[in-house]
Amino acid sequence: MELLDDSQLAHRLDDSLTQEAISVKEEQSLLNERLAKLETTRQDFSEAVYQKVKKDYHDRFQRTTEKLNHLRQGLEKDRQEVLNKKKRVQEHYQLHQEILEEARLRSSLGEYTKEKFQGIETEETKELKRLEEAIKNLEQEEKRFHELFPDSQQSSPKESSYNPVAARPE
């Protein structure tokens, strides 16, 4: 079986888009705070001034929402790439688990020598750990996206979790 190279194991969300989205969300939070404060001070100002400021804040909030939606579209492409790579890595993880399990069985049946089994076990365990790390990193990128856009729905069902490397046969 062909091993996945490093470029097939990793993908990061675009850092510049991510930072810009964080900045826009902070601006929205500030506007929300100001709108709330505006309501508490409404009686201290004329209706015309209150409405003018309120409209300005709402218009600015609308522009930030549009900008955030645009950034989200760009980051959604990265998120899809993360999900696709995660699925592929999980598939390879499962295949390597099966190779190790098969070697364990063949060893227990006497087909593989202890040395041959240990060689397979060493290589497969190393690869499984590498794939585990890749899955962890891809899940972290997925988490970054959901932290920015908590209302986003998963486009694919939650993948079943992978099992850690099993212990050696007795």
Side-chain angles (χ1 to χ4, degrees), residues 39-114:
E39 290 304 315
T40 64
T41 61
R42 181 178 186 166
Q43 69 279 1
D44 299 336
F45 301 95
S46 69
E47 185 64 21
V49 170
Y50 164 80
Q51 289 298 334
K52 179 180 178 183
V53 172
K54 183 177 178 180
K55 181 181 181 332
D56 176 51
Y57 286 162
H58 278 287
D59 290 348
R60 287 165 59 184
F61 191 87
Q62 183 61 38
R63 286 192 300 274
T64 61
T65 299
E66 290 167 6
K67 188 173 187 177
L68 194 58
N69 286 337
H70 177 72
L71 292 168
R72 182 182 183 148
Q73 289 174 351
L75 287 167
E76 181 63 40
K77 293 175 188 171
D78 279 345
R79 177 178 169 256
Q80 283 302 325
E81 184 66 23
V82 166
L83 293 174
N84 291 340
K85 285 188 177 189
K86 179 181 164 189
K87 181 179 180 197
R88 185 156 186 225
V89 171
Q90 286 174 324
E91 289 168 353
H92 275 257
Y93 186 92
Q94 183 64 37
L95 290 172
H96 285 279
Q97 275 189 318
E98 290 171 6
I99 290 169
L100 182 57
E101 184 179 2
E102 179 183 345
R104 204 172 267 126
L105 175 60
R106 290 180 185 277
S107 176
S108 72
L109 297 172
E111 179 181 345
Y112 288 176
T113 65
K114 182 178 180 180

Side-chain angles (χ1 to χ4, degrees), residues 130-146:
R130 188 174 84 101
L131 295 173
E132 284 175 3
E133 187 65 27
I135 291 167
K136 184 177 119 186
N137 292 337
L138 290 165
E139 286 174 343
Q140 186 62 36
E141 289 304 302
E142 192 176 357
K143 181 181 175 190
R144 284 178 65 204
F145 180 88
H146 289 290

Side-chain angles (χ1 to χ4, degrees), residues 17-32:
L17 292 179
T18 301
Q19 287 303 315
E20 193 172 352
I22 289 169
S23 176
V24 169
K25 289 184 73 108
E26 288 171 351
E27 185 178 350
Q28 283 185 328
S29 179
L30 179 63
L31 289 168
N32 275 330

